[in-house]
Amino acid sequence: MATLDAERIHAVNLDIQILALERSLVASALRAQRTMVQERLNSYIYPVLTLPNEIVSEIFIRFVPVYPKRPSLDGIHSPNNLTHICRKWRDIALATPELWRAMRLSVDDDSYIPLGRQLQELDAWLSRSRSCPFSIEVLSFNSLEGSFIFSAARAARWEHLKASLMISPSSTIEVPMPLLRHLDLRFDSTEVDPHRDPVIFGEAPLLRSVVLDDYTALMVILPWVQLTSLTLTCIYPHECIPILQQTPNLAYCKLDLCDLPSLPTTWPDVTLPCLESLTLVPYTPRHKAQTRYLETFIVPALCKLHIAEAILENPIHTLTSFMLKSGCRLQEMYISGERRISRDTYSRAFQSVKLSFDEGYVGQEADVANNAESDSL
């Protein structure tokens, strides 16, 4: 009996050894197959990685907003995202200056990105963009920290600058910006101090386009004579006159006008011999702009006019007189806002002008357009 039990145990042990041997052989075969598969994978090159670096760089440039539009630091279109895919793409992105030449920052007190980190990123992007002109937008209505954009080293790189800043009543800024072409600037201050020092942009030889609000327009000194495009928002008519008298080379002008009951109804003429496009509209529908302001402009080269009918006391007569006084031959005219004059009346009066309207007709035409036919061009 003992011999029989021993044989049974021996048989079981042999089965275990056979199973272990079979498993090792199978495992060995599987490992060999796995090695062969990995070798094939290692030899495979993804098609996108075969593209020349120059092509990948061009694709990357089309990923970010079209210059001079600015991506946010951590937004979906930030070039930082391109550095997180693989080492090769990171190297290409960091070696493409055009990716890093525009940035939008917010340095408000409630910004979720600390100012220190944003400034580090800004300086890094300035370095990566090498000698490319730079487009920057800074939102800093609740902080004095936005003045960092006027440091000499950084300001020398700005080509397009959009900034909403709080400045102290006693601050003054005078820094050269040799590459600056477009300036969109808004200062916020709780009190307007007429005795405060101005913000001077004296050395900006390439500056051609400017957007300002009323307070900022009164607080800056710009090379007005070299501007070809000017937008003034939320501004009173009498505040525009001194500025416009210094801008003889304007080709485009947009005025978003406010009004005060105590303002005069007549102003000195403003002659803009190069102006091709003029927009006069109320800043908001609740702002009633002066109705005789158009008559101050003498614009012989004007081709396009966008005007709110609310600015025109007698629309057909005023527009006709304006065109005759300026000696201009309008090609396009856009009448916006609520209208008392119908499309047909405008069309009869200005047959040679391409007219367009929004959907603001409210009727009441009879009292306003009695002389429309006699005034037609």
Side-chain angles (χ1 to χ4, degrees):
M1 182 65 68
T3 302
L4 183 59
D5 290 340
E7 291 296 333
R8 288 173 176 168
I9 293 172
H10 184 55
V12 170
N13 289 335
L14 289 174
D15 289 339
I16 293 173
Q17 293 178 38
I18 292 171
L19 181 60
L21 182 60
E22 289 176 344
R23 287 179 175 174
S24 65
L25 292 174
V26 171
S28 178
L30 291 176
R31 280 194 292 270
Q33 293 181 38
R34 177 67 174 81
T35 300
M36 294 174 61
V37 171
Q38 186 61 52
E39 289 176 351
R40 290 197 296 270
L41 288 174
N42 291 341
S43 65
Y44 181 80
I45 299 177
Y46 291 95
V48 69
L49 297 180
T50 66
L51 292 174
N53 290 355
E54 295 79 6
I55 300 298
V56 178
S57 180
E58 287 296 324
I59 294 173
F60 285 177
I61 291 173
R62 284 159 176 76
F63 168 79
V64 299
V66 176
Y67 186 84
K69 293 182 179 179
R70 313 156 187 94
S72 58
L73 184 60
D74 286 343
I76 188 173
H77 293 295
S78 169
N80 281 337
N81 295 326
L82 298 172
T83 66
H84 301 158
I85 308 302
C86 65
R87 180 176 298 178
K88 180 176 181 179
W89 280 21
R90 175 181 174 83
D91 292 342
I92 295 174
L94 294 178
T96 305
E98 293 83 358
L99 288 178
W100 309 97
R101 60 178 175 169
M103 175 185 282
R104 178 163 57 87
L105 300 177
S106 175
V107 292
D108 282 342
D109 294 337
D110 58 353
S111 175
Y112 73 96
I113 303 178
L115 175 62
R117 182 196 160 194
Q118 293 193 66
L119 293 182
Q120 289 177 356
E121 286 286 338
L122 173 60
D123 289 335
W125 287 30
L126 284 168
S127 175
R128 294 169 189 169
S129 61
R130 300 178 188 173
S131 60
C132 289
F134 206 91
S135 175
I136 186 168
E137 178 179 355
V138 179
L139 302 177
S140 179
F141 264 137
N142 299 323
S143 173
L144 297 176
E145 300 293 343
S147 60
F148 70 84
I149 63 174
F150 296 111
S151 67
R154 296 186 180 112
R157 295 285 304 280
W158 306 149
E159 182 178 35
H160 298 265
L161 170 59
K162 181 176 182 179
S164 300
L165 306 174
M166 176 179 286
I167 57 173
S168 64
S170 61
S171 65
T172 180
I173 302 168
E174 187 170 1
V175 59
M177 296 187 177
L179 301 181
L180 188 65
R181 294 181 181 273
H182 176 79
L183 175 66
D184 186 336
L185 190 62
R186 288 168 175 80
F187 289 140
D188 180 66
S189 178
T190 55
E191 296 183 3
V192 177
D193 181 2
H195 303 295
R196 57 147 290 142
D197 293 329
V199 178
I200 302 173
F201 292 82
E203 296 184 43
L206 301 182
L207 184 62
R208 296 294 182 269
S209 176
V210 170
V211 179
L212 305 171
D213 63 6
D214 60 335
Y215 174 63
T216 309
L218 300 177
M219 292 294 104
V220 297
I221 295 178
L222 293 171
W224 301 107
V225 69
Q226 67 192 44
L227 299 186
T228 59
S229 175
L230 177 63
T231 298
L232 301 177
T233 66
C234 191
I235 194 164
Y236 296 106
H238 69 285
E239 295 173 334
C240 300
I241 300 295
I243 296 174
L244 294 175
Q245 289 175 335
Q246 302 177 68
T247 57
N249 294 307
L250 284 185
Y252 172 88
C253 180
K254 179 182 179 183
L255 304 178
D256 295 336
L257 298 170
C258 299
D259 188 24
L260 289 174
S262 59
L263 289 179
T265 57
T266 59
W267 299 270
D269 287 343
V270 174
T271 301
L272 301 173
C274 302
L275 194 70
E276 299 177 358
S277 178
L278 174 64
T279 297
L280 296 178
V281 292
Y283 178 60
T284 67
R286 64 185 179 85
H287 286 95
K288 300 298 183 181
Q290 291 285 344
T291 57
R292 301 182 64 87
Y293 197 54
L294 179 65
E295 300 174 23
T296 66
F297 288 88
I298 300 176
V299 283
L302 192 69
C303 298
K304 298 180 181 180
L305 175 65
H306 172 194
I307 191 163
E309 192 181 272
I311 294 178
L312 306 173
E313 185 175 7
N314 186 326
I316 302 298
H317 174 77
T318 301
L319 288 168
T320 301
S321 298
F322 160 72
M323 294 170 65
L324 290 173
K325 179 180 178 180
S326 289
C328 63
R329 303 297 295 179
L330 275 183
Q331 299 176 11
E332 300 178 22
M333 182 161 55
Y334 173 47
I335 309 295
S336 62
E338 291 188 351
R339 288 184 291 108
R340 299 159 292 162
I341 307 300
S342 69
R343 293 170 181 257
D344 289 343
T345 301
Y346 277 112
S347 297
R348 289 193 299 269
F350 306 106
Q351 298 180 15
S352 62
V353 180
K354 180 181 178 181
L355 299 170
S356 56
F357 309 86
D358 58 20
E359 299 302 322
Y361 181 59
V362 295
Q364 302 177 358
E365 180 176 7
D367 294 335
V368 182
N370 288 332
N371 298 323
E373 296 295 338
S374 61
D375 289 335
S376 63
L377 294 181

